[in-house]
Amino acid sequence: MEFLLEKEEEISLLDYWRVILKRKGVLFIFASAVILLFGFYTFTITPKYKAMATLLIEDETSKIMSIEDEFSYGRRMSDLRFFNTQIILLESESLAERVSRKMDLLSRPEFTEGRKGKKSLLTIIKDLATFKWIAPKKNPKDEDSDELILSDPYLEIIKKLRKNIDVSPISKTKVVKVSCTLHYPVLAAEIVNTLTEEFITFSIEKRYETTQQASDFLSEQIANLRKDLASKEREIQGYGKEKELFYLSDSESIAINKFADLNDAFTQAQIDRIKKEATYLELRNLNVDSLPPFVNNILIQQLKNEYTRMKNEFEEQSKVFKPGYPKMIQLKAKLDSMRDELKFEIGKAVDAAESEYQSALKNESSIRKLLDKQKDDVVKMGSNSIYYNSLKIEVENKQKLLNSLVERQNETLVSARLGGLKTSYVSIIDRAKVPDKPVSPKKKLNLLLALILGILGGIFLCFIVENLDNTVKGPEDVERLAHLPSLGVIPLLDANGKKKKKRDGYYSMFEYSYGKESSKNEDTEPEIKKIELVNYLHPKSAVSEDYRAVRTSILLSYADKPPKTIIFSSALPLEGKTSSVANMAVSFSQLQKKVLVVDADLRKPRLHQIFKAKNVGGLTGFLTGKVPFENIVQKTSIENIQLITTGPIPPNPSELLNSNKMKMMIENLNKNNDFVLIDTPPIMAVVDSLILSSLADGVVLIVQPGKTVREPFLKAVEELKLAKAKIIGVLYNQVKLKNRYYYDYRYIYRNYYGDKIENI
């Protein structure tokens, strides 16, 4: 089975190879066109040069850090975000605008020329594929003139500059490659160097601009705070003078401090009571069979874990052993004991928690009473003193805030002054140099791609052409579609005949033996001017050998005895059936057999011209009763071959051929001759061939590969089968043997029948 599968796969690949060889002209033309097109584009396009610089971008917060900070996830994410931000800034429109204006690219002809330049080859192909060439082009005059006047002339320059600049970070490093690709190498290097310098300047300005803004903001806030502080100090002095509160007594300070302490103690008592109440409620609601995953009590948590483990072990063992098993009884006892212990501990914990909760509740209540009493004492103190203290506290807080802002302002002023040093976290590793070699077009690569694309596209086009070809292509095509055997292949002769030449062409591939052994002087191909009677005029030629091979196939087509009455026909006209009948008659006569050729094509007869006989009387005269049978049979110049011509063309050929007289004549001819070969009209043209096919021993169909259309051919085969004709096989006529497909077929055919040709 594996051998058969491998064989099928081999045959399938061979079929593909044959299709490619058959359509090699299409492949060659397509591949040549693609190579010429790509070659023309490659050698005519203006070369481009790439200038490249290398930058190192370090985090601005670089400093001595601990190992944990250096390798922490947050640190890596921060570095990555910072690095990606710098890449985006390098590709930003604002930076491109700075470079454009600094270099005055608008006035540089080498940069501005061809701003509406020619489209590339790929762009042209894309436009053709998307049918953009159908849509009408917009007229610039139709656009809004105001918009054109107000538009920035640098916008197009910036767009082109960004298109030609490429920023490529190197993986796992802080190094970035910045390049510019232009037709002018010097300008490309200038742009890259200017871009890197402007980026460093931009980063410095952006960095310390923010610092200066912070410093200005702090100065403004400090000035406002100083005004508020001076106002509050004047207010407290005026209020103290008005109320005669130059200072607070010790008793008032102690009362206020005690009230504050009691307030703090009351707050802590509330927190303690809430915690203990929550613990108590949690323990009180505990159930041995539905404990939560985590319990605040350590002992209960440990007992719960042990109980859960034993319970799981009991459930696992219960899947294996029955409840009465001793081990199961022992486990059950331990589990119950553990459950009771856990329940007991929960009860103890609940009692302890309840006791602590009640104690905390009492403590909170007692502190509340003391707080209320102290609150009354404080209230009794003069409200003037309290307001005075509040003003005093507010003044102190504002003074602290002022000191903090002044300190922060000093730091920002120092940072702003450092901006004058032009320090940056971006450094240039390699400046761009003027490139000496272009980066595009890559001539070798383009030609190689053109070759590959041309070959692949040509092969694809070969199969498209092959699938669009609805003609019969060869023996395998016929065997697959009509299940008819192949009888042989007759090559196509040139219009001017076959010139004399050595057998170094396709004929030299197939050796044959017929008659005496050929000498060295006979190793030249004779001059063949026409195909008719070629095996009579040139019996040693390879074409004659092909006809003898067809003869062998016909003689071996039936197991018991070879067919005697044979009809030659085709599906359509001009497929070479008449010349095939004449040459097959010669081939059968070379066996020293008596051969009679009947021209039954009563519409366009031609056999009398081939055999140079008179077309008088003939088949029509006999069938109409005007000429006796003895007078219609003519001898030819070829030994063992007799001929019955058509005679005058009748108005009703089909009725004559379908007559009883025709049937009796064929039976008589079959008795008196070794072989009777009948030439008939095309099957799809008239019904004459179908009428005669039922009277003959077999039918040979003539097919011209590459010309015979499949549908008419299959229809002809179907009509013959409906007429109950015996189809011997298919003769392939006028075959172009330059196709390797027919080389292989001819070679196999010769090897199969070669030993039997002389003996038949």
Side-chain angles (χ1 to χ4, degrees):
M1 185 66 181
E2 294 180 356
F3 173 77
L4 293 176
L5 292 175
E6 293 177 358
K7 190 68 176 176
E8 289 179 1
E9 182 179 0
E10 180 182 354
I11 293 174
S12 177
L13 294 176
L14 184 60
D15 290 339
Y16 295 151
W17 178 244
R18 287 171 176 169
V19 171
I20 296 173
L21 288 180
K22 182 179 178 181
R23 307 290 181 181
K24 60 181 178 294
V26 176
L27 172 61
F28 177 77
I29 293 174
F30 182 82
S32 300
V34 172
I35 293 174
L36 288 176
L37 186 63
F38 272 77
F40 177 79
Y41 172 76
T42 300
F43 288 97
T44 56
I45 190 174
T46 305
K48 289 185 177 182
Y49 299 84
K50 177 185 283 189
M52 182 179 297
T54 306
L55 298 180
L56 175 63
I57 301 178
E58 295 181 307
D59 190 354
E60 59 180 342
T61 58
S62 297
K63 56 186 180 179
I64 300 176
M65 295 177 295
S66 63
I67 296 178
E68 292 79 4
D69 293 337
E70 182 67 26
F71 294 98
S72 65
Y73 175 77
R75 171 65 178 174
R76 292 196 302 270
M77 289 301 298
S78 177
D79 289 345
L80 182 60
R81 287 193 297 268
F82 175 78
F83 189 75
N84 291 336
T85 302
Q86 303 310 308
I87 299 299
I88 294 175
L89 292 177
L90 271 170
E91 298 173 340
S92 65
E93 184 176 346
S94 60
L95 184 61
E97 182 178 0
R98 290 170 64 113
V99 175
S100 302
R101 295 186 182 276
K102 182 176 182 179
M103 296 185 64
D104 195 15
L105 293 179
L106 189 61
S107 62
R108 301 286 292 267
E110 63 268 34
F111 189 84
T112 57
E113 68 177 6
R115 281 189 282 172
K116 298 180 179 178
K118 298 180 180 179
K119 295 182 178 179
S120 65
L121 178 62
L122 295 178
T123 305
I124 295 174
I125 295 175
K126 183 179 179 181
D127 291 344
L128 291 175
T130 55
F131 299 99
K132 288 186 177 180
W133 53 276
I134 298 179
K137 296 182 179 179
K138 294 183 178 179
N139 189 355
K141 296 181 180 180
D142 297 337
E143 297 179 357
D144 190 356
S145 59
D146 294 337
E147 183 179 353
L148 290 176
I149 295 173
L150 296 176
S151 61
D152 189 351
Y154 271 97
L155 291 179
E156 191 174 353
I157 297 294
I158 295 170
K159 182 178 179 182
K160 182 178 179 180
L161 180 60
R162 294 183 66 194
K163 183 179 179 181
N164 293 328
I165 290 177
D166 179 65
V167 179
S168 302
I170 299 178
S171 178
K172 298 181 180 180
T173 67
K174 296 181 180 181
V175 178
V176 179
K177 297 286 187 179
V178 182
S179 62
C180 180
T181 304
L182 291 175
H183 296 300
Y184 299 91
V186 176
L187 180 61
E190 290 179 6
I191 289 177
V192 173
N193 290 329
T194 305
L195 179 70
T196 55
E197 293 170 359
E198 284 299 309
F199 177 65
I200 292 175
T201 304
F202 174 78
S203 62
I204 293 173
E205 292 176 355
K206 193 67 178 176
R207 181 179 181 182
Y208 293 105
E209 179 183 354
T210 305
T211 305
Q212 187 63 43
Q213 291 176 355
S215 178
D216 295 341
F217 173 76
L218 289 174
S219 298
E220 182 180 357
Q221 295 297 317
I222 289 172
N224 294 333
L225 186 58
R226 282 175 175 169
K227 291 180 181 179
D228 293 342
L229 182 59
S231 176
K232 288 294 181 182
E233 288 177 346
R234 287 193 297 270
E235 181 180 357
I236 193 174
Q237 290 176 0
Y239 184 78
K241 186 176 181 180
E242 177 184 357
K243 301 296 183 180
E244 297 181 355
L245 297 174
F246 299 103
Y247 60 92
L248 293 178
S249 63
D250 294 340
S251 60
E252 290 175 344
S253 299
I254 294 172
I256 293 174
N257 292 336
K258 186 176 181 181
F259 175 76
D261 293 340
L262 286 175
N263 192 24
D264 292 339
F266 178 70
T267 301
Q268 292 297 327
Q270 282 183 317
I271 294 173
D272 184 56
R273 188 262 304 167
I274 292 172
K275 288 182 179 180
K276 292 181 178 180
E277 182 180 6
T279 303
Y280 167 66
L281 293 176
E282 178 186 8
L283 294 174
R284 188 182 65 179
N285 296 328
L286 288 179
N287 190 351
V288 178
D289 298 321
S290 58
L291 291 173
F294 300 99
V295 182
N296 291 330
N297 191 293
I298 298 176
L299 179 58
I300 295 176
Q301 180 67 33
Q302 293 176 352
L303 292 174
K304 179 254 181 183
N305 293 337
E306 182 66 20
Y307 176 72
T308 302
R309 185 189 64 78
M310 294 183 65
K311 186 177 181 180
N312 293 335
E313 182 181 0
F314 179 79
E315 290 177 353
E316 290 293 329
Q317 294 295 331
S318 64
K319 296 178 181 178
V320 181
F321 303 104
K322 294 182 179 181
Y325 191 72
K327 185 175 182 179
M328 293 298 296
I329 295 173
Q330 184 179 2
L331 287 175
K332 178 65 175 174
K334 290 182 179 180
L335 185 63
D336 293 341
S337 175
M338 180 61 66
R339 187 176 186 280
D340 294 339
E341 183 178 357
L342 180 59
K343 187 176 181 181
F344 175 74
E345 290 298 332
I346 290 174
K348 287 174 60 179
V350 169
D351 294 339
E354 183 180 8
S355 177
E356 292 179 358
Y357 165 66
Q358 292 297 333
S359 176
L361 187 61
K362 292 178 181 179
N363 185 39
E364 179 187 3
S365 178
S366 61
I367 293 176
R368 181 191 296 272
K369 293 177 181 179
L370 291 175
L371 182 62
D372 293 339
K373 183 178 181 299
Q374 188 63 30
K375 186 186 296 183
D376 294 337
D377 295 339
V378 173
V379 171
K380 290 177 181 178
M381 296 174 65
S383 58
N384 295 332
S385 300
I386 296 175
Y387 181 69
Y388 180 85
N389 287 331
S390 65
L391 288 176
K392 187 177 180 181
I393 292 173
E394 186 176 357
V395 170
E396 292 175 354
N397 290 337
K398 286 184 179 295
Q399 185 63 46
K400 291 180 181 178
L401 178 59
L402 177 61
N403 295 335
S404 176
L405 290 178
V406 171
E407 182 180 358
R408 180 59 180 168
Q409 184 191 32
N410 293 332
E411 293 177 358
T412 55
L413 288 175
V414 173
S415 298
R417 292 191 183 96
L418 289 176
L421 300 177
K422 300 296 183 180
T423 58
S424 175
Y425 47 83
V426 181
S427 56
I428 300 176
I429 305 302
D430 294 320
R431 294 181 60 84
K433 298 179 181 179
V434 178
D436 54 351
K437 294 181 180 179
V439 293
S440 70
K442 298 179 180 179
K443 298 179 180 180
K444 293 183 179 180
L445 178 61
N446 287 357
L447 293 179
L448 179 61
L449 292 176
L451 178 61
I452 296 174
L453 180 62
I455 293 176
L456 295 179
I459 292 174
F460 180 71
L461 192 60
C462 287
F463 285 103
I464 291 180
V465 174
E466 183 72 11
N467 289 330
L468 293 177
D469 186 4
N470 63 343
T471 60
V472 177
K473 299 178 180 63
E476 291 187 359
D477 209 6
V478 172
E479 291 173 4
R480 178 175 56 85
L481 296 173
H483 306 289
L484 295 177
S486 302
L487 300 178
V489 175
I490 305 301
L492 172 66
L493 298 180
D494 296 336
N496 298 325
K498 179 79 178 144
K499 303 288 184 175
K500 287 185 179 181
K501 64 176 183 178
K502 292 271 186 177
R503 296 185 184 215
D504 56 354
Y506 50 80
Y507 290 126
S508 64
M509 296 180 63
F510 310 104
E511 299 292 340
Y512 63 89
S513 60
Y514 185 79
K516 295 181 181 180
E517 184 178 358
S518 61
S519 63
K520 294 182 179 179
N521 296 329
E522 295 174 345
D523 195 29
T524 57
E525 197 60 33
E527 183 178 1
I528 302 174
K529 295 184 178 181
K530 59 181 180 178
I531 192 66
E532 290 84 358
L533 303 180
V534 64
N535 48 351
Y536 172 71
L537 299 174
H538 308 285
K540 298 292 186 178
S541 65
V543 181
S544 302
E545 180 66 19
D546 291 328
Y547 279 107
R548 286 190 287 271
V550 176
R551 179 192 68 191
T552 303
S553 299
I554 294 174
L555 294 176
L556 297 177
S557 59
Y558 291 169
D560 49 355
K561 61 178 181 178
K564 298 185 65 176
T565 305
I566 305 171
I567 288 178
F568 288 81
S569 186
S570 62
L572 299 173
L574 302 177
E575 294 188 351
K577 57 181 180 57
T578 301
S579 60
S580 298
V581 172
N583 292 333
M584 289 307 303
V586 174
S587 182
F588 278 107
S589 69
Q590 290 172 350
L591 297 176
Q592 303 303 318
K593 300 292 183 180
K594 188 177 181 182
V595 181
L596 177 64
V597 180
V598 180
D599 192 350
D601 190 351
L602 301 182
R603 303 171 191 272
K604 289 185 178 181
R606 204 169 66 88
L607 279 175
H608 64 281
Q609 298 175 358
I610 296 176
F611 288 99
K612 298 180 180 180
K614 296 181 180 180
N615 191 17
V616 180
L619 183 60
T620 303
F622 171 73
L623 295 178
T624 56
K626 296 179 181 180
V627 181
F629 178 76
E630 294 78 8
N631 295 338
I632 66 173
V633 179
Q634 303 181 43
K635 291 185 178 181
T636 64
S637 59
I638 302 175
E639 184 181 0
N640 297 326
I641 296 180
Q642 292 180 320
L643 174 65
I644 296 179
T645 61
T646 59
I649 298 176
N652 55 346
S654 300
E655 287 75 5
L656 294 177
L657 295 176
N658 198 25
S659 63
N660 291 328
K661 201 169 186 179
M662 183 67 184
K663 297 179 182 178
M664 295 175 62
M665 187 194 77
I666 291 179
E667 292 177 358
N668 186 27
L669 295 176
N670 198 14
K671 293 178 182 179
N672 298 325
N673 297 278
D674 294 322
F675 296 99
V676 179
L677 307 184
I678 304 175
D679 183 21
T680 61
I683 298 173
M684 299 307 298
V686 291
V687 297
D688 300 2
S689 300
L690 299 177
I691 294 173
L692 296 175
S693 63
S694 61
L695 306 177
D697 295 335
V699 178
V700 174
L701 282 174
I702 309 299
V703 169
Q704 184 176 349
K707 181 180 178 182
T708 302
V709 184
R710 293 178 185 175
E711 288 74 12
F713 170 73
L714 296 176
K715 184 66 176 177
V717 173
E718 183 180 358
E719 293 290 341
L720 289 173
K721 291 181 179 180
L722 291 176
K724 298 182 179 179
K726 299 178 181 178
I727 304 176
I728 299 175
V730 178
L731 169 61
Y732 300 93
N733 193 32
Q734 301 181 31
V735 176
K736 297 179 182 179
L737 285 182
K738 292 181 180 180
N739 192 330
R740 183 70 192 179
Y741 171 83
Y742 297 104
Y743 280 168
D744 298 340
Y745 177 78
R746 214 164 174 237
Y747 177 76
I748 296 171
Y749 183 84
R750 288 279 181 83
N751 285 344
Y752 184 77
Y753 290 115
D755 297 338
K756 302 179 182 180
I757 292 176
E758 291 189 24
N759 299 326
I760 296 178

